Amino acid sequence: MADTNLRNDKELPVIVRDEVHADHVLFIDADGNPVTDLDMFERFSCKIPNLNPDTPDRVEPDLVNEREFFEDDLPLLPGGGRIRIFGFKEPDGEPQFPAPTMRWVEGKIIHSIVHMKKNTHTIHHHGMDGTNFNDGVGHTGFEVSGSYTHQFKPRVAGTYLYHCHKNTVLHFEMGMYGFLIVDPPVEGAPFRDGGRGMVRRMNDIVPYDVEAMWAVDEFDTRWHRPINHLAGLACPFYNSSQVNAFVPTGDENVGLHDFRPDVFLVSGVASTGEPIADRRVAVQAAWGDTILIRLLNAGYTVQEYLFPDLTVEVVDVDGRPLGHEPEGTFSRPFTIAAGTPFRLTTARRYSMLVTPAEIGRHPFKVRFLHWITGREVGRLETFIDVL
Ligand SMILES: [Cu+2]
């Protein structure tokens, strides 16, 4: 994103095929031929195999989830207007945004099955350290045109996400993501979204009473139109009738170098300017309850968050419990004092514990900051009610 946006006001570089510029040579291959950035781009972004292979080392699963692609106009705009979404749904489920949560359990064998009816997509289980077959990153592996079963044994509980990793700049923005939660290996797991559960805190597993799952996102509504799945990819062998690329093979600039968000959402609920009170987002807890907040930056801005009157403890960063041995030996959970703003960038997560001492309404505020200039481009607010 950053690189293309820096070019925003300048003439786009023209890459001439069959003409090697010294600037573009990355390395010399085993046959002595120069490998250019265009070769690399074609190899890893354009010549992606479409495969539906057998799962290597397949064993019987403990847990299975299935997702399929949909494209639909969903009533997500402030006031209920519809907007074009690419998403994942369960095979017999309704289209929804964000995609349904995957809930896994530490140490269990998981099968995550993806079905594609037309076109190709992938599911990247972000942070899961999958092998190349299971990682779901199209341009370093393959894209799925039919079905594929990803196999995992998640190593440590935490807050993750899954998303499509085909033409990611477009498909992630269009809605192809959802939470992926790994619960600790205790009775009752996997837990129900929003309810009671257990979470790792250092080397302990501690209970919470209420779970908030906040995927904070923003839409540039100009992008959310019936749009070619490959739009924005600059693949020289696609002709312009197939793809409207923004460099130099297409006739039309589809504008994916230019992101100007105009709708701001938490977990699929758009802000109207008033604090979001929808119960899918706003939390209701009883006095004395411990709340686990799973916070995800699912957008393309830098997001700055603020609890004006709550001090929270961060127990997990990007799916890695702090202070958990062996990988967290050198870290510890940390507190963010009431009134202290904090930030996350794209795809990053915090899991935070809080037990509010006061009855009443506790606001949660977000400012959306432009990723280059830092300028505020939007804001929203929701809250935790303690009764
Ligand atoms: Cu996709």
Side-chain angles (χ1 to χ4, degrees):
M1 286 301 290
D3 189 37
T4 53
N5 272 284
L6 284 170
R7 294 174 185 163
N8 198 7
D9 298 317
K10 297 178 193 157
E11 202 172 319
L12 293 168
V14 176
I15 300 167
V16 181
R17 300 203 73 195
D18 306 323
E19 184 182 329
V20 175
H21 299 280
D23 289 356
H24 296 155
V25 175
L26 298 180
F27 57 86
I28 307 297
D29 72 13
D31 301 321
N33 299 313
V35 174
T36 67
D37 51 3
L38 182 59
D39 296 330
M40 290 290 282
F41 184 82
E42 285 191 30
R43 192 171 305 167
F44 291 108
S45 292
C46 298
K47 295 174 181 170
I48 300 172
N50 298 337
L51 299 173
N52 304 290
D54 294 334
T55 305
D57 305 316
R58 186 181 178 120
V59 294
E60 278 301 305
D62 299 307
L63 286 168
V64 178
N65 51 240
E66 292 188 64
R67 296 290 181 272
E68 64 180 34
F69 173 79
F70 75 85
E71 178 172 355
D72 206 349
D73 295 323
L74 301 185
L76 298 169
L77 295 175
R82 289 182 176 266
I83 186 168
R84 179 60 53 108
I85 294 291
F86 296 176
F88 295 108
K89 66 181 201 61
E90 292 177 330
D92 52 2
E94 291 296 310
Q96 67 179 86
F97 169 80
T101 305
M102 294 182 182
R103 282 201 93 121
W104 298 359
V105 179
E106 202 180 289
K108 299 284 189 193
I109 302 290
I110 312 293
H111 280 181
S112 177
I113 306 171
V114 65
H115 305 284
M116 302 305 172
K117 291 209 172 98
K118 57 174 192 173
N119 282 310
T120 60
H121 298 275
T122 75
I123 294 183
H124 174 55
H125 304 80
H126 189 110
M128 271 301 133
D129 304 335
T131 62
N132 209 39
F133 264 87
N134 297 300
D135 199 31
V137 180
H139 50 91
T140 58
F142 56 92
E143 290 170 358
V144 179
S145 58
S147 295
Y148 181 69
T149 300
H150 307 80
Q151 180 168 274
F152 289 97
K153 186 176 178 183
R155 195 176 49 77
V156 62
T159 300
Y160 301 85
L161 73 151
Y162 68 99
H163 64 87
C164 178
H165 225 310
K166 170 184 174 168
N167 195 9
T168 317
V169 169
L170 178 64
H171 291 215
F172 184 59
E173 162 67 13
M174 290 296 282
M176 299 196 74
Y177 72 83
F179 272 108
L180 165 52
I181 306 300
V182 180
D183 287 315
V186 294
E187 201 183 328
F191 298 109
R192 186 176 54 79
D193 285 7
R196 291 175 193 280
M198 307 279 279
V199 62
R200 279 206 176 274
R201 184 185 179 283
M202 302 183 69
N203 293 310
D204 298 326
I205 295 172
V206 300
Y208 58 84
D209 302 294
V210 178
E211 181 186 49
M213 302 177 75
W214 289 339
V216 184
D217 193 3
E218 70 291 300
F219 289 158
D220 180 338
T221 53
R222 302 172 310 157
W223 290 31
H224 286 256
R225 59 189 195 258
I227 190 170
N228 190 304
H229 286 209
L230 298 170
L233 283 181
C235 295
F237 49 81
Y238 297 138
N239 67 46
S240 58
S241 66
Q242 293 172 292
V243 178
N244 296 318
F246 68 86
V247 280
T249 53
D251 300 320
E252 184 199 348
N253 182 338
V254 293
L256 301 191
H257 63 306
D258 184 12
F259 185 66
R260 295 185 214 167
D262 53 349
V263 174
F264 302 88
L265 319 90
V266 181
S267 302
V269 180
S271 171
T272 59
E274 297 297 310
I276 296 173
D278 189 295
R279 288 294 304 277
R280 287 170 290 172
V281 176
V283 174
Q284 205 172 82
W287 186 81
D289 278 353
T290 295
I291 302 161
L292 175 68
I293 301 160
R294 301 188 188 270
L295 180 61
L296 160 66
N297 180 340
Y300 287 153
T301 59
V302 176
Q303 297 173 357
E304 184 177 274
Y305 316 100
L306 179 69
F307 291 102
D309 67 356
L310 289 177
T311 293
V312 299
E313 182 186 47
V314 179
V315 294
D316 160 349
V317 171
D318 299 332
R320 301 296 185 270
L322 300 169
H324 178 255
E325 293 172 349
E327 77 284 354
T329 308
F330 301 102
S331 64
R332 289 287 177 276
F334 60 94
T335 57
I336 300 172
T340 309
F342 60 103
R343 296 179 176 187
L344 291 175
T345 49
T346 301
R348 299 206 55 211
R349 294 88 64 202
Y350 276 175
S351 302
M352 303 179 288
L353 286 170
V354 58
T355 309
E358 308 284 339
I359 285 172
R361 178 158 291 185
H362 303 283
F364 172 69
K365 302 182 178 195
V366 184
R367 295 172 66 222
F368 297 83
L369 308 177
H370 191 277
W371 56 101
I372 296 169
T373 64
R375 233 180 25 246
E376 182 181 306
V377 294
R379 56 170 64 197
L380 63 73
E381 190 171 332
T382 185
F383 50 79
I384 295 172
D385 273 343
V386 177
L387 308 175

